[in-house]
């Protein structure tokens, strides 16, 4: 007898598992890395399904039917009286965006925009002419407006949504976007833009700025040039469509592009400065000896035992084994809650050891070490003495 367990296991033998009153597995109606489909047995013996990723119940059921897993009795009941999902009356498709092969022009996939605002993807089913398959893998995806972009030899704008591409087309501007939204860039998209003059136009939010970083990096060495155009006076989360709706024109866009800077990778955060000359001066309460295979070595002033710390071992507790709390607080001040900036202190200690070079504890035949008061050098005690 077909039940929730047998369907879930047949759909996803690797990742299906029990969950509450039913089972979860990967949904057959969309590309699913983690189990998002809940299948359970209803009180009337019917199979109940719910995709947490938002797939329409009818779409999921059709995919299960196509695989011959849906109970025959319920199949007949469903055909006579389709079961309506709770949100069927509220959700409706408001736009369909078609994606074509850049070279052949063949339809590769379609993005549906629903109201309330959600998106789903589907592609022509090669086994059922005229029908759709709801699993769209990476190999089926391409850029929106790809054939036009592929042939265009002037500036191409990369935006975040299909609506933006269509609105720019209305003012005679060639643009493109990738399916799935911000940061969902694939390597094959970059190849379509090989040798092109590209202008990235981010939305005014963190996701938009991150998307610019991802695409800019992906196009390095592929596109002829990559610039970033930050549109003026955009509201929070605003995009190029908002800018056009507020009165932006093609002529203004062209002028803004002329001054758009070329994309550059984000600047790495500045590391705390390391003293260049006096890291082992007499006024320091300990000496940084060097490093070796992930360990860092220190010698407290006036002591004879070398202290070995791992990178993770640079804690305030171990630092207090080298000198007192007041010194750390004076040299590396923190906040009222944490008077010592432990991160900065640890960084200084490790970078100083690295600059001094490799220090091999195996080359020391004894265990003791101390400061020579006359020369100021470290004296290592040999085991033969």
């Amino acid at each position: 007898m077909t039940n929730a367990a047998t369907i879930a296991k047949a759909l996803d033998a690797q990742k299906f598992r029990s969950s509450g009153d039913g089972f979860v597995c990967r949904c057959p109606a969309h590309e699913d890395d983690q189990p998002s489909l809940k299948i359970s047995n209803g009180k009337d013996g019917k199979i109940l399904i719910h995709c947490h990723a938002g797939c329409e119940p009818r779409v999921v059921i059709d995919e299960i039917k196509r695989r011959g897993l849906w109970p025959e009795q319920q199949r007949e009941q469903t055909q006579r009286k389709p079961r309506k999902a709770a949100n069927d009356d509220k959700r409706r498709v408001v736009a369909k965006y078609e994606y074509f092969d850049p070279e052949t022009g063949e339809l590769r996939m379609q993005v549906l925009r629903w109201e309330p605002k959600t998106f789903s993807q589907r592609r022509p089913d090669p086994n059922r002419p005229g029908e759709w398959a709801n699993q769209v893998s990476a190999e089926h995806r391409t850029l929106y407006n790809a054939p036009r972009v592929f042939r265009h030899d002037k500036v191409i704008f990369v935006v975040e949504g299909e609506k933006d591409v269509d609105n720019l087309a209305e003012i005679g501007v060639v643009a493109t976007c990738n399916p799935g939204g911000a940061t969902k860039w694939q390597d094959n998209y970059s190849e379509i833009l090989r040798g092109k003059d590209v202008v990235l136009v981010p939305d005014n939010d963190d996701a938009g700025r991150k998307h610019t970083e991802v695409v800019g990096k992906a196009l390095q060495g592929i596109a002829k040039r990559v610039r970033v155009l930050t549109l003026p006076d955009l509201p929070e989360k605003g995009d190029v469509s908002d800018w056009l709706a507020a009165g932006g024109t093609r002529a203004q866009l062209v002028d803004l592009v002329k001054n758009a800077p070329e994309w550059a990778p984000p600047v790495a955060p500045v590391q705390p400065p390391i003293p260049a000359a006096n890291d082992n001066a007499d006024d320091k309460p300990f000496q940084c000896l060097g490093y070796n295979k992930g360990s860092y070595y220190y010698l407290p002033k006036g002591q004879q035992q070398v202290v070995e710390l791992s990178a993770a071992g640079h804690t305030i507790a171990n630092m207090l084994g080298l000198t007192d709390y007041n010194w750390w607080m004076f040299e590396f001040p923190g906040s009222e809650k944490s008077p010592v900036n432990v991160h900065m202190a640890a960084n200084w200690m490790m970078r100083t050891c690295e600059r001094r070079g490799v220090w091999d504890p195996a080359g020391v035949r004894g265990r003791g070490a101390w400061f020579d008061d006359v020369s100021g050098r470290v004296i290592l005690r040999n085991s033969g003495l």
Side-chain angles (χ1 to χ4, degrees):
M1 176 180 177
T2 302
N3 56 27
T6 57
I7 294 176
K9 185 175 182 179
L11 287 175
D12 187 8
Q14 290 183 332
K15 292 192 175 183
F16 96 101
R17 66 178 188 274
S18 61
S19 175
D21 59 350
F23 299 85
V24 292
C25 63
R26 287 177 290 188
C27 179
H30 73 279
E31 188 176 5
D32 200 2
D33 294 329
Q34 297 297 328
S36 64
L37 180 64
K38 176 73 175 289
I39 307 179
S40 57
N41 299 307
K43 294 181 179 180
D44 55 0
K46 293 183 179 180
I47 303 297
L48 306 178
I49 65 167
H50 174 69
C51 177
H52 292 281
C55 291
E56 287 292 306
R58 297 300 311 164
V59 173
V60 180
I61 292 173
D62 286 345
E63 190 63 32
I64 296 175
K65 286 180 181 178
R66 190 174 71 84
R67 302 185 185 199
L69 301 174
W70 195 249
E72 196 64 34
Q73 182 180 5
Q74 190 165 336
R75 181 196 300 264
E76 295 172 0
Q77 293 173 351
T78 302
Q79 290 173 347
R80 290 199 304 267
K81 187 178 180 181
R83 183 179 176 186
K84 183 177 291 187
N87 292 327
D88 278 355
D89 290 335
K90 299 178 181 179
R91 298 188 72 215
R92 59 189 180 91
V93 175
V94 294
K96 297 178 182 178
Y97 301 107
E98 295 187 328
Y99 284 67
F100 298 93
D101 186 279
E103 297 185 61
T104 67
E106 178 185 3
L107 179 62
R108 296 275 290 273
M109 59 172 287
Q110 193 179 75
V111 171
L112 304 180
R113 176 170 176 163
W114 299 79
E115 188 64 42
K117 187 178 179 181
T118 55
F119 294 88
S120 63
Q121 299 176 8
R122 63 185 186 180
R123 64 183 176 88
D125 192 329
N127 299 317
R128 299 181 299 168
E131 297 191 41
W132 297 94
N134 293 291
Q135 287 183 308
V136 182
S137 59
E139 65 188 44
H140 300 116
R141 298 190 185 108
T142 185
L143 290 178
Y144 187 55
N145 198 27
R148 182 77 176 92
V149 168
F150 185 73
R151 297 190 303 270
H152 194 61
D153 59 359
K154 293 183 173 59
V155 174
I156 295 170
F157 291 77
V158 175
V159 292
E160 282 191 41
E162 296 90 351
K163 179 183 69 173
D164 300 326
V165 174
D166 292 346
N167 286 336
L168 285 171
E170 291 183 4
I171 62 170
V173 172
V174 177
T176 188
C177 69
N178 59 273
T183 73
K184 303 299 191 299
W185 194 262
Q186 296 181 181
D187 290 342
N188 64 301
Y189 304 159
S190 300
E191 286 301 318
I192 300 172
L193 297 173
R194 181 173 289 278
K196 305 292 186 181
D197 189 356
V198 176
V199 176
L200 309 179
V201 187
D203 288 1
N204 187 29
D205 55 22
D206 289 341
R209 289 180 280 273
K210 178 64 176 176
H211 186 61
T212 296
E213 292 181 20
V214 170
V215 179
K217 183 178 180 180
L219 292 177
Q220 291 306 289
I222 296 179
K224 179 174 69 175
R225 179 170 57 167
V226 180
R227 289 174 285 177
V228 179
L229 173 57
T230 302
L231 292 171
D233 303 321
L234 275 186
E236 181 67 21
K237 298 185 179 298
D239 54 29
V240 67
S241 293
D242 296 317
W243 183 80
L244 292 170
T249 66
R250 187 179 191 280
Q252 291 173 332
L253 194 65
V254 170
D255 286 340
L256 289 170
V257 168
K258 292 177 182 178
N259 296 317
E262 294 203 16
W263 180 88
V267 178
V270 178
Q271 296 293 333
I274 299 175
N278 296 320
D279 31 308
N280 283 333
D282 290 341
D283 62 342
K284 295 290 188 296
F286 61 90
Q287 186 169 359
C288 301
L289 301 177
Y291 72 100
N292 196 317
K293 297 180 180 179
S295 293
Y296 299 82
Y297 298 91
Y298 307 96
L299 180 63
K301 195 169 185 177
Q303 297 185 25
Q304 298 184 3
Q305 187 64 47
V306 172
V307 176
E308 176 184 356
L309 296 178
S310 66
H314 287 71
T315 63
I316 187 61
N318 288 331
M319 291 177 184
L320 293 178
L322 299 176
T323 188
D324 63 82
Y325 193 87
N326 288 333
W327 187 87
W328 293 110
M329 188 167 58
F330 179 79
E331 293 290 334
F332 301 98
S335 62
E336 182 177 350
K337 185 177 180 180
S338 302
V340 177
N341 189 328
V342 176
H343 175 76
M344 182 179 291
N347 184 71
W348 172 80
M349 294 167 68
M350 290 186 287
R351 300 296 87 79
T352 300
C353 284
E354 290 167 1
R355 193 163 43 85
R356 290 189 65 79
V358 175
W359 191 83
D360 187 4
V364 181
R365 288 174 291 177
R367 295 184 179 180
W370 65 89
F371 280 104
D372 181 80
D373 292 334
V374 177
S375 65
R377 294 181 300 174
V378 177
I379 306 298
L380 300 176
R381 179 175 162 194
N382 294 330
S383 60
L385 295 180

